[in-house]
């Protein structure tokens, strides 16, 4: 992420900051996915399939990336704390 601290030299304060940022972004991505699924339930099968092939994989990939980074910074907080 833009401006992310160097994982090797990050202080506890920096690690906590990035842990919090990734947690916030992950929550948002999960809400986006939930909203997409709610909207898909009201779509025609053809439209729903298109969303499953296009939007869902992108949001899922973003969420997974943020989940991994959150896990990394959580581990770093534990190392430093």
């Amino acid at each position: 992420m833009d401006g992310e601290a160097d994982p090797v030299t990050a202080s506890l304060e920096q690690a906590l900051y990035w842990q919090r940022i990734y947690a916030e972004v992950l929550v948002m991505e999960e809400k986006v996915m939930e909203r997409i699924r709610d909207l898909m339930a009201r779509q025609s099968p053809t439209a729903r399939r298109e969303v499953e092939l296009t939007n869902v994989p992108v949001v899922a990939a973003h969420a997974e990336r943020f989940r991994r980074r959150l896990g990394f910074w959580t581990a770093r907080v534990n190392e430093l704390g």
Side-chain angles (χ1 to χ4, degrees), residues 6-44:
D6 179 354
V8 176
T9 61
S11 67
L12 178 57
E13 182 179 297
Q14 289 171 316
L16 286 166
Y17 173 82
W18 287 105
Q19 180 187 39
R20 194 168 47 254
I21 294 301
Y22 279 108
E24 288 178 25
V25 176
L26 179 57
V27 166
M28 184 198 68
E29 289 294 328
E30 289 171 342
K31 287 180 181 179
V32 168
M33 184 64 81
E34 183 179 321
R35 181 70 176 135
I36 288 171
R37 295 209 186 279
D38 288 345
L39 292 170
M40 285 172 55
R42 291 180 247 140
Q43 290 182 313
S44 68

Side-chain angles (χ1 to χ4, degrees), residues 33-68:
M33 184 64 81
E34 183 179 321
R35 181 70 176 135
I36 288 171
R37 295 209 186 279
D38 288 345
L39 292 170
M40 285 172 55
R42 291 180 247 140
Q43 290 182 313
S44 68
T46 303
R48 186 172 36 252
R49 180 72 179 139
E50 184 61 27
V51 171
E52 287 172 344
L53 293 173
T54 58
N55 298 68
V56 170
V58 171
V59 175
H62 287 168
E64 183 54 33
R65 177 176 169 264
F66 297 135
R67 192 173 289 110
R68 282 193 313 270

